[in-house]
Amino acid sequence: MTTTVPTAGPTPTPTPTPVPGSGAGSATVTTGPVAGAGSTTVTAGPVAAAVPGGSLGGFDRLLEAVVGERAAAVRNVPATLACFTDHFPRHPVLPGVLLLESMAALARTAAGPGTWRLAAVRGVRFKHFVGPGDQVHLTVEVTAHGPHRTECRATARAGGRVVATARVLALVSDETTREGTA
């Protein structure tokens, strides 16, 4: 899998760098004019730890990321999560807020480099329960993208059916001034 991510400026020669914590040879980031002037190409192997910002956030594996367009990832739901002991002990269910956080983390990846924070969520629907042992496939489509605000639509699927959707995940850049501040 190869993902092109714009960076601040071009590097004269490509420089491969292993991604920390990704294991020997499983993920590298090559900076330079590999995919065009001023871009970074992320090549991921078995462990896709090469996410803009260096963290996977609320998902386990990045499948695809096209900055400003879309992203796809997988989240495995282990039976050892602490929330399952209290969140309906006889019928354990993944809390919806954790599923929503996974969608938001993937939306931040699709928004691209920089620090993005979730500003608004609209039209969230939880259609089916997600339980221990499920594998959730997350997809995010960018519907509006700018330097200071990005809006996405997200879908989560488990077992071949849609388990949750979010009509709008609005992200704002941390460089934007918050309302009521100077």
Side-chain angles (χ1 to χ4, degrees), residues 19 21-22 44 46-63 73-75 101-102 104-106 108-109 138:
V19 175
S22 63
V47 179
V51 177
S55 167
L56 284 179
F59 50 90
D60 295 312
R61 186 178 54 199
L62 182 65
L63 301 175
V74 172
R75 177 184 181 156
E101 175 52 36
S102 295
L106 188 58
R108 284 190 287 275
T109 301
L138 305 161

Side-chain angles (χ1 to χ4, degrees), residues 70-82:
R70 67 186 175 280
V74 172
R75 177 184 181 156
N76 295 311
V77 183
T80 57
L81 285 176

Side-chain angles (χ1 to χ4, degrees), residues 66-71 107 110-111 140-145 150-153:
V66 180
V67 172
E69 291 182 28
R70 67 186 175 280
V140 168
E141 282 183 48
V142 176
T143 56
H145 184 60
T150 298
E151 290 187 4
C152 302
R153 176 181 23 242

